Amino acid sequence: MRNGFDEGSLLLRNARVWRRPGECVSDPQDALLRGGRIAEIGRVAGAGSGVREVDLSGRVTTAGFWNCHVHLTESVWSGRSRAALSAMQAAIDDMMLSRGFVTVVDLGSHPRTTNALARRIETGQLRGPTIITAGIGIRPWRGIPFYTRIIVPWFMRWMLPTPLTGFGARLVVASQLRNGARVVKLFTGAYVTPERVKPMREAVARAAVDQAHRRGVRVFAHPSNREGTAIALGAGVDALAHVPDDTYGTAALLAEAARRGVRTVPTLHMFASTVRTDADYLGPIHAALGDFLRQGGKVLFGTDVGYMAERDTRPEFEAMADSGMGVDHLLGSLTSEPAAFFADQERGAVEVGHHADLTILDTRSQHPTPSDFSRIYATFRQGRMIWPATIE
Ligand SMILES: [Zn+2]
């Protein structure tokens, strides 16, 4: 108890609960959060005096969103002063919490920066999401992507892992996991110039995947083109971090990926935002995602924010809808699919007993539209409202 309030509990009033994809959005009801978990859903008469209440006024409540492709590489993340911390909080709010993300998968950043940020969130110094990080992405030998060369000064490039052999790849993965990585990211195809993709040797990729899988860790690949996709599948990766943007010859490979349960993070808007917006370039990328979906392929939501400067998630939801995803499918990509992918049975749905990770959409409609996923009213993690800082 502090200030007369039971700090471990929170009662959400008048929430239209959308428990999981495929279920209807409910009429307004209550949800009691206690000890970081969802304790009760329904009509909660009185949770006891001293339980703080938040009235959601009929807004739609879903499981906490995941963004399965972010980067924590911008300079804002590495500050240490008091002013730097408040800039960091503003950046977390802008990039993650105000977009509804309660869990993020960082597919490449410096572990020193990211581990420090995660610690500040866990100790309550900052409000933020759960961070699952890949540490530094593993590149092909002599295959540092041109855009990384722009960001990373030459004297720091020795830190980027570019193993030449399978043995080297195993050592790199083991060292990344020791440094806090919980997923592995491989550039099976790296754009060394805007026109040229350098492939990773398949034996190197396979050794990295074996080492990760032996430790129960999932592997994402950046495929870029047909060869990068073929190497990713040959090596046995678990997810493609993007739809290949050079789609020539990838149709059969994406169909095979769908059959084998390899997930795809589309990042469709990243291509429009950072490469080109013309239909000749974007059309085939959207079509490739549509084909993957028609083969039963599973999608994890992700934007590549942090590499892409743009924060607004609306264009990504609209592009995914354009490729054939309905609202239930979109909700799955944000909640149940990533939870299942990471074998997290206590997240991904609004269920009694689950972690109280919740995203509140700023709509009262029982039939949300794709763009409603980009209009966020509040974000909760482990039973605490982490965004906005207060609701009156
Ligand atoms: Zn990325």
Side-chain angles (χ1 to χ4, degrees):
M1 291 270 196
R2 189 149 40 109
N3 307 325
F5 281 109
D6 172 0
E7 293 290 329
S9 300
L10 193 61
L11 181 58
L12 305 183
R13 293 282 192 201
N14 299 308
R16 287 188 193 275
V17 179
W18 194 2
R19 288 186 182 235
R20 54 166 54 81
E23 289 192 18
C24 295
V25 175
S26 78
D27 288 330
Q29 50 184 338
D30 306 329
L32 178 65
L33 317 181
R34 179 165 280 162
R37 304 271 173 166
I38 301 170
E40 238 180 293
I41 304 171
R43 268 290 155 208
V44 181
S49 60
V51 172
R52 214 184 276 270
E53 295 189 9
V54 176
D55 191 344
L56 297 177
S57 312
R59 291 185 176 83
V60 173
T61 300
T62 71
F65 288 177
W66 296 55
N67 187 333
C68 291
H69 193 149
V70 310
H71 293 279
L72 300 167
T73 42
E74 291 159 315
S75 58
V76 68
W77 306 117
S78 49
R80 287 158 180 270
S81 65
R82 187 179 290 264
L85 279 189
S86 78
M88 226 178 274
Q89 183 64 66
I92 295 172
D93 288 349
D94 184 31
M95 178 170 159
M96 299 180 258
L97 304 185
S98 68
R99 317 295 169 183
F101 300 121
V102 186
T103 308
V104 298
V105 182
D106 159 54
L107 290 184
S109 67
H110 198 289
R112 196 173 52 214
T113 311
T114 305
N115 292 342
L117 176 63
R119 240 186 336 268
R120 287 193 166 114
I121 293 169
E122 293 318 315
T123 57
Q125 221 182 342
L126 293 170
R127 292 173 286 102
T130 302
I131 299 171
I132 297 171
T133 183
I136 304 177
I138 302 173
R139 278 93 171 152
W141 174 248
R142 292 188 173 155
I144 297 178
F146 72 91
Y147 46 85
T148 309
R149 285 203 304 271
I150 295 165
I151 303 166
V152 181
W154 63 268
F155 56 88
M156 287 178 74
R157 282 183 211 144
W158 61 270
M159 287 193 307
L160 302 175
T162 59
L164 174 62
T165 63
F167 178 72
R170 284 177 197 281
L171 290 183
V172 168
V173 169
S175 136
Q176 303 248 37
L177 299 183
R178 269 198 308 279
N179 282 316
R182 292 292 170 268
V183 289
V184 167
K185 161 82 173 289
L186 302 179
F187 288 83
T188 53
Y191 273 101
V192 288
T193 75
E195 286 80 36
R196 191 173 148 249
V197 175
K198 169 106 192 233
M200 180 176 276
R201 288 178 53 217
E202 192 171 316
V204 170
R206 200 177 307 130
V209 171
D210 285 348
Q211 180 77 335
H213 284 177
R214 228 179 313 152
R215 312 279 285 277
V217 164
R218 296 292 215 171
V219 182
F220 286 74
H222 184 126
S224 302
N225 65 3
R226 176 171 59 112
E227 197 176 8
T229 309
I231 293 164
L233 294 182
V237 306
D238 306 294
L240 301 178
H242 307 276
V243 175
D245 69 320
D246 176 356
T247 57
Y248 174 77
T250 59
L253 292 169
L254 290 176
E256 189 192 336
R259 254 197 322 279
R260 282 172 35 184
V262 175
R263 278 43 163 207
T264 293
V265 188
T267 70
L268 299 177
H269 183 60
M270 181 276 291
F271 296 119
S273 175
T274 69
V275 189
R276 290 196 340 243
T277 54
D278 57 286
D280 284 352
Y281 173 64
L282 294 179
I285 299 173
H286 289 216
L289 177 63
D291 290 341
F292 177 74
L293 292 166
R294 273 187 293 281
Q295 305 282 340
K298 292 184 171 178
V299 167
L300 308 175
F301 183 82
T303 55
D304 211 357
V305 68
Y307 169 65
M308 173 178 75
E310 192 173 334
R311 270 38 178 164
D312 188 4
T313 51
R314 182 178 172 146
E316 183 66 15
F317 290 120
E318 289 177 345
M320 290 167 86
D322 195 49
S323 296
M325 295 181 73
V327 287
D328 282 292
H329 210 166
L330 291 173
L331 178 65
S333 76
L334 287 158
T335 58
S336 52
E337 289 296 347
F341 180 70
F342 284 101
D344 186 339
Q345 287 159 3
E346 300 179 314
R347 286 189 175 81
V350 187
E351 266 322 321
V352 170
H354 274 214
H355 286 286
D357 288 3
L358 300 169
T359 297
I360 317 299
L361 310 185
D362 198 6
T363 176
R364 296 174 173 84
S365 168
Q366 283 190 286
H367 303 283
T369 63
S371 59
D372 284 335
F373 290 112
S374 64
R375 283 191 279 272
I376 305 302
Y377 179 71
T379 307
F380 294 81
R381 176 171 174 253
Q382 290 172 358
R384 286 176 180 274
M385 189 162 67
I386 52 172
W387 187 85
T390 53
I391 292 183
E392 291 310 320

